Amino acid sequence: MKKIDLYFDNPPSSIKEKLFVDKLKDLLEKKKKGENVEIEGYAPSDVKKELIKIFNNKCAFCESDISTGHHYDTEHFRPKNKYYWLAYEWSNFLLACRKCNSDCKGEQFPIEGDAAMLPNIDFEKNRDAFLTACHIQNLENEVRLLMHPALDEPAEHLEFAKNGRVVAKNNSVKGQNSIEVYGLDDWETKKGKKGKRQDLIRGRLEIIEQVEVEVEHAILHFETEYRLYQDILHIHIKLIRAIHGEDMRGNKLPKNLPFSAVRKACLTNFKTFFIEGNALFTVSQKEILNKVYGTLLKNRTE
């Protein structure tokens, strides 16, 4: 999962239109009468297009590519069947791949304590106040135990291992729940099928292994410390630019380049992953790499 900027205050035009307000009004009236309602019509084309733009054609949960022809959902962060009054709330929408949403998350939304309730505001008499109360940032009194990419810093709750797996950082409850509910590693479908998200693990591992190959090439072709420093610096810059969607020449990379969080983990855990964790290197090679890497960190912080 990647941290994204808040996007709640700029809804697509259809969200602002009378049609959506009428849909919500009709839904509230039917629910008040105890009727069962099939909630639909919440994801017109401009909503989908805006979500694709915000999330750069990637799943909000696993960061996998959602390109043309791939299946994706307009996901309700708080499930629409339980939090029905949020069915047409823009700030409750995310973009998700079918595996994370339909296969894994479904209607799950773990919390601690009491759930958020329908706003105690007359919709007809004070419509604006009702809609404001539905804004996701006004629901934070509910102690949610699931990460949101715009409200949480995922790096505080998740960490990646060199083998491509992901675990809860410092035993984070939000992290562990997010891994289980979104199916970010081990997963269980709504039908009870269990397994590992090999698509994610394999994709992350490919990035980590590519960096490892580049580090190995640098030390095995070692000539001078200065040259090695330049090679390691090049690897770091390449990772940083990829995170920001650029190649080494400053050209834009595909917006749907997946797993930027793993690239960040490669930077954060560079010494652990690629120096100390490489069994091919001799003690002297590790000493040289650690010295060069230490210089790089010093120059970067200064």
Side-chain angles (χ1 to χ4, degrees):
M1 183 181 288
K2 177 185 178 181
K3 172 72 174 177
I4 64 164
D5 295 331
L6 290 173
Y7 58 94
F8 307 141
D9 294 332
N10 297 298
S13 59
S14 63
I15 297 289
K16 304 174 185 177
E17 292 175 357
K18 185 176 182 293
L19 173 66
F20 259 52
V21 177
D22 287 345
K23 283 179 177 289
L24 178 58
K25 177 185 175 182
D26 182 61
L27 173 62
L28 293 173
E29 289 176 349
K30 289 180 178 178
K31 284 290 186 178
K32 190 174 182 179
K33 295 176 183 178
E35 298 180 21
N36 291 322
V37 186
E38 183 69 28
I39 299 173
E40 55 188 5
Y42 53 81
S45 59
D46 67 331
V47 169
K48 293 179 179 178
K49 287 178 181 177
E50 189 62 24
L51 287 173
I52 288 171
K53 179 181 177 182
I54 289 167
F55 290 97
N56 287 328
N57 253 333
K58 293 186 289 186
C59 175
F61 303 135
C62 72
E63 267 203 286
S64 60
D65 173 19
I66 303 176
S67 304
T68 303
H70 286 65
H71 296 296
Y72 66 90
D73 294 325
T74 298
E75 147 72 354
H76 290 83
F77 180 58
R78 283 178 170 82
K80 62 182 181 297
N81 289 349
K82 181 177 181 180
Y83 301 84
Y84 61 88
W85 61 94
L86 302 178
Y88 300 99
E89 169 56 39
W90 166 245
S91 64
N92 195 42
F93 291 164
L94 294 166
L95 184 73
C97 70
R98 289 283 171 85
K99 282 188 177 180
C100 285
N101 184 33
S102 300
D103 288 344
C104 296
K105 181 176 182 287
E107 300 299 321
Q108 297 182 79
F109 192 76
I111 62 170
E112 181 181 297
D114 296 332
M117 302 296 289
L118 174 73
N120 187 25
I121 301 170
D122 190 296
F123 181 78
E124 282 297 314
K125 292 181 179 179
N126 203 339
R127 188 168 299 179
D128 288 343
F130 184 95
L131 295 175
T132 298
C134 291
H135 195 288
I136 195 170
Q137 288 177 289
N138 294 326
L139 299 175
E140 286 296 275
N141 286 333
E142 178 185 66
V143 184
R144 57 182 172 82
L145 301 178
L146 208 57
M147 288 193 302
H148 188 290
L151 298 176
D152 297 299
E153 175 50 70
E156 295 178 358
H157 301 279
L158 301 176
E159 59 184 354
F160 297 93
K162 191 180 176 182
N163 62 3
R165 304 291 297 277
V166 64
V167 297
K169 188 173 184 178
N170 299 323
N171 296 315
S172 164
V173 175
K174 273 188 181 179
Q176 187 57 48
N177 281 327
S178 298
I179 290 170
E180 294 174 0
V181 171
Y182 300 144
L184 301 181
D185 196 278
D186 291 316
W187 69 316
E188 181 175 356
T189 71
K190 290 183 292 185
K191 296 180 180 179
K193 179 183 176 182
K194 297 182 179 180
K196 292 182 175 63
R197 283 288 296 275
Q198 295 294 351
D199 57 321
L200 301 183
I201 296 170
R202 186 167 51 250
R204 297 172 191 146
L205 186 57
E206 286 175 358
I207 293 171
I208 295 168
E209 288 179 339
Q210 179 58 40
V211 176
E212 186 167 49
V213 167
E214 293 175 3
V215 175
E216 289 176 356
H217 184 272
I219 190 62
L220 294 177
H221 293 79
F222 171 72
E223 295 176 356
T224 65
E225 286 188 12
Y226 177 76
R227 176 56 187 272
L228 182 60
Y229 175 87
Q230 293 297 321
D231 289 341
I232 300 301
L233 178 61
H234 181 274
I235 294 169
H236 274 69
I237 293 173
K238 184 178 178 182
L239 282 168
I240 292 169
R241 289 197 172 183
I243 290 168
H244 294 288
E246 296 180 350
D247 63 17
M248 290 300 288
R249 294 183 178 180
N251 299 317
K252 291 291 184 182
L253 292 169
K255 289 184 177 182
N256 55 350
L257 192 70
F259 311 130
S260 62
V262 176
R263 291 180 170 84
K264 284 187 178 180
C266 287
L267 290 170
T268 303
N269 302 309
F270 192 86
K271 181 176 180 178
T272 305
F273 279 9
F274 308 117
I275 301 177
E276 302 301 339
N278 195 315
L280 294 178
F281 296 160
T282 65
V283 173
S284 60
Q285 286 173 328
K286 289 183 179 181
E287 288 176 350
I288 295 169
L289 276 168
N290 276 321
K291 181 180 178 181
V292 167
Y293 180 59
T295 303
L296 186 150
L297 289 180
K298 181 179 178 182
N299 289 341
R300 191 172 68 185
T301 56
E302 291 178 351

